[in-house]
Amino acid sequence: MDATRIQLRSWDDALRRGARRVGWKAALGFPEIEAVIGRRPVLGHLTSETLLPSGARFSVSQLRAPRVETELVIELAEPVASGSPPGIQRAVAGLAVGLEIVDVARPPDDLEGIIAANVAHRACVVGPTRPPCAPGAARIWINGAVRQSARPPEDYGDTLSALVRVLAAVGLELQAGDRVLAGSLTHAEARAGDHVVAEIEHLGRVEARLVE
């Protein structure tokens, strides 16, 4: 938990600067990180400082190993605290498509360093929340071509429960209005000049242009 507390200092700093709380990310599904931490969700934070509108330009000049990911985004309708009863999905207000931009370069090379550095997060685009549904295929498009596709999980309750436990350990909880990136569904290399689109059937698409 020490690494999570270090990470949350930067979260606190952003909020003191006037950033708005957006939510959290469950770091799942990208091999460069899983090679170090294994297949279990770890916590990252989201604020308005790294939230982009769809179609925005984002500079990757400071990123050493940029990747782009399609994310299933979960928005909560009510707080979810440690010890919440089974059926955590009843707290879900809706779902959205997300595009996350990460930097998987090393260092950091260890679990603690990766968590403290906000688990590679650099920016994200989040689409409008839609009523809960069974989302269709997820895709990442780069320059008009599908680079990768996948099926979202049918049950994301375990991911939310894992985040609840991590947050409880540092005295926090999921709040109403929080949006959670529930793990990458696609994960692809990208570079300056790329036009990137993240899509999930039934939830829509969002996009960004990577620049120097």
Side-chain angles (χ1 to χ4, degrees), residues 3 6-7 45 108 112-122:
I6 291 170
Q7 180 204 127
H45 68 268
E112 290 75 15
I114 289 169
I115 293 174
N118 205 19
V119 205
H121 175 77
R122 295 298 179 268

Side-chain angles (χ1 to χ4, degrees), residues 183-196:
S184 60
L185 301 171
T186 69
H187 178 78
E189 294 184 23
R191 65 188 68 184
D194 285 345
H195 174 223
V196 182

Side-chain angles (χ1 to χ4, degrees), residues 6 15 34 37 39 50 90 104 160 173 192 194:
I6 291 170
L15 297 182
E34 288 185 353
I37 68 176
R39 178 134 184 107
T50 61
R90 290 196 296 269
V104 298
L160 290 178
E173 65 180 39
D194 285 345

Side-chain angles (χ1 to χ4, degrees), residues 1-13 23-27 37 40-46 110-119 162-174:
M1 286 298 111
D2 288 345
T4 298
R5 291 188 178 94
I6 291 170
Q7 180 204 127
L8 290 176
R9 290 175 196 160
S10 63
W11 179 67
D12 285 332
D13 289 344
W24 309 96
K25 64 170 284 186
I37 68 176
R40 60 188 177 93
V42 294
L43 179 75
H45 68 268
L46 308 174
D110 62 320
L111 173 63
E112 290 75 15
I114 289 169
I115 293 174
N118 205 19
V119 205
L163 288 185
V164 167
R165 291 192 294 271
V166 175
L167 286 168
V170 292
L172 297 171
E173 65 180 39
L174 295 173

Side-chain angles (χ1 to χ4, degrees), residues 17-86:
R17 289 192 296 269
R20 176 173 51 85
R21 171 175 173 150
V22 172
W24 309 96
K25 64 170 284 186
L28 274 172
F30 47 109
E32 299 90 344
I33 300 298
E34 288 185 353
V36 178
I37 68 176
R39 178 134 184 107
R40 60 188 177 93
V42 294
L43 179 75
H45 68 268
L46 308 174
T47 75
S48 56
E49 287 190 343
T50 61
L51 185 64
L52 306 173
S54 185
R57 295 159 64 88
F58 179 77
S59 173
V60 293
S61 61
Q62 301 301 311
L63 277 57
R64 294 172 292 150
R67 303 288 188 271
V68 289
E69 302 176 337
T70 306
E71 298 268 351
L72 177 67
V73 184
I74 303 166
E75 183 170 343
L76 298 177
E78 59 187 59
V80 182
S82 179
S84 293

Side-chain angles (χ1 to χ4, degrees), residues 113-157:
I114 289 169
I115 293 174
N118 205 19
V119 205
H121 175 77
R122 295 298 179 268
C124 64
V125 182
V126 176
T129 298
R130 303 185 187 278
C133 66
R139 303 180 185 91
I140 194 79
W141 300 72
I142 299 180
N143 301 325
V146 175
R147 185 68 59 87
Q148 199 175 80
S149 62
R151 296 291 302 186
E154 294 183 2
D155 183 359
Y156 39 80

